[in-house]
Amino acid sequence: MTTTTAPVPAPGAAPGDEEAARATPSLARRTLRVFTANKLALTGVVVLALLFAFSYLGPLLYDTEQVHTDLAQANLSPGTGGHPLGTTDLGYDMLGRLMVAGRTSLEVGLAAGLLATLFGTVYGAVSGYFGGWLDAAMMRITDAVLAVPAMFLLVVVAAIVTPDKGVLVLIIAAVAWLSPARLVRGEALALRDREYVQAMRMMGGGGARAVFRHIVPNAVGTVIVNCTFQIADAILYVSYLAFLGLSIPPPSADWGSMLSAGITYTQNGYWWLIFPPGIAIVLVVAAFNFIGDGLRDAFDVRLRK
């Protein structure tokens, strides 16, 4: 028969210390509390959830033809012929087109933003941790790419290849990784001299362990915040390229290509070709930026206290 003994309190500890420790909210709970206190961040989450539901669940409830054109139904005003938002210049139902185009914009923006953040994080962590000539060489490459305007690179590459979703993700990620790389490098320079990193090295740990087990996890706050801004920028890049006619070829569409097509008919007063995709782009970019601001505050140690 075994007996259990109650834990012995540490010397000098007050009787209520254990209860006070249990009552102290965890780090995750405090972070969530700061985030939910930001009304704009919560608004961004709600708007983003609605846009995803609109783009992915909407076509299941409102089925429309988005492949074959019907010029007889072109440029109908909202409410005409059973089309709540009218039709496009090719006869597509505007509301259904907005839903389908939202999938492309959100998928490419999310994939490109995540890929750019992932590559930039590893690149910056390796550069900052190892330092020396490797850091100098890697940062000179970053500076060289930064010296060329991102839109110029995007236009050149998009003009050479025929963009599909995968190619578009790679093109945008190729110019978007620079910002997270520089941010994480700064974090790595500060973290590599911490006691736990030095102890790991004295115990025989290698550079890969230091980067992926210590540097990157401790820079996760900076990485997550920057990732939201990268996704917002990637969605804008998709719109920029589509506006210049360098997006995914028809019958696929995104909000930028819809806006570009609508601009052609500005003088004709076809406002329903411009406002819906323009408002959708503004809403999704603003939502990601609001969420990023909220996460930045949530990971701020001073606001968690």
Side-chain angles (χ1 to χ4, degrees), residues 231-262:
I231 294 173
D233 290 343
I235 292 174
L236 284 178
Y237 282 139
V238 174
S239 302
Y240 295 157
L241 290 175
F243 194 81
L244 296 174
L246 298 172
S247 184
I248 301 174
S252 299
D254 58 78
W255 289 332
S257 62
M258 293 181 65
L259 185 61
S260 177

Side-chain angles (χ1 to χ4, degrees), residues 1-7:
M1 179 177 180
T2 60
T3 59
T4 58
T5 57

Side-chain angles (χ1 to χ4, degrees), residues 237-303:
Y237 282 139
V238 174
S239 302
Y240 295 157
L241 290 175
F243 194 81
L244 296 174
L246 298 172
S247 184
I248 301 174
S252 299
D254 58 78
W255 289 332
S257 62
M258 293 181 65
L259 185 61
S260 177
I263 293 294
T264 307
Y265 297 92
T266 302
Q267 301 298 326
N268 297 329
Y270 298 159
W271 57 268
W272 60 89
L273 300 180
I274 303 173
F275 283 101
I279 292 173
I281 293 171
V282 171
L283 285 177
V284 70
V285 172
F288 274 111
N289 278 283
F290 288 157
I291 293 172
D293 289 338
L295 290 172
R296 181 190 58 200
D297 294 344
F299 285 107
D300 191 321
V301 177
R302 295 169 298 176
L303 295 178

Side-chain angles (χ1 to χ4, degrees), residues 42-238:
L42 290 180
T43 302
V45 172
V46 172
V47 170
L48 201 58
L50 292 176
L51 287 173
F52 269 93
F54 175 77
S55 299
Y56 289 92
L57 299 180
L60 301 178
L61 304 175
Y62 186 75
D63 188 22
T64 57
E65 171 61 59
Q66 296 296 327
V67 176
H68 302 96
T69 61
D70 185 3
L71 297 180
Q73 298 290 319
N75 295 325
L76 295 180
S77 60
T80 304
H83 302 285
L85 290 181
T87 61
T88 69
D89 57 317
L90 296 178
Y92 296 120
D93 181 87
M94 189 65 181
L95 181 59
R97 196 69 171 170
L98 204 63
M99 295 175 182
V100 174
R103 293 182 176 182
T104 301
S105 294
L106 292 173
E107 288 173 3
V108 174
L110 280 169
L114 291 173
L115 180 61
T117 302
L118 178 62
F119 180 78
T121 298
V122 175
Y123 188 95
V126 170
S127 176
Y129 174 75
F130 288 100
W133 66 268
L134 181 62
D135 178 44
M138 295 177 73
M139 284 300 102
R140 295 300 75 76
I141 294 174
T142 304
D143 294 339
V145 180
L146 279 172
V148 183
M151 278 305 302
F152 176 77
L153 290 176
L154 287 173
V155 170
V156 170
V157 177
I160 295 174
V161 299
T162 301
D164 57 16
K165 283 186 180 182
V167 172
L168 205 56
V169 168
L170 293 176
I171 291 174
I172 295 173
V175 299
W177 64 271
L178 304 168
S179 176
R182 294 176 70 88
L183 284 173
V184 175
R185 173 186 177 265
E187 293 285 329
L189 289 173
L191 292 170
R192 68 179 183 178
D193 294 326
R194 297 289 178 87
E195 291 80 1
Y196 54 85
V197 178
Q198 297 297 328
M200 181 275 303
R201 295 171 64 179
M202 292 179 64
M203 295 172 63
R209 181 179 179 85
V211 169
F212 293 104
R213 294 292 300 273
H214 297 284
I215 302 297
V216 172
N218 282 283
V220 68
T222 301
V223 172
I224 292 175
V225 173
N226 184 258
C227 184
T228 59
F229 296 128
Q230 290 301 318
I231 294 173
D233 290 343
I235 292 174
L236 284 178
Y237 282 139
V238 174

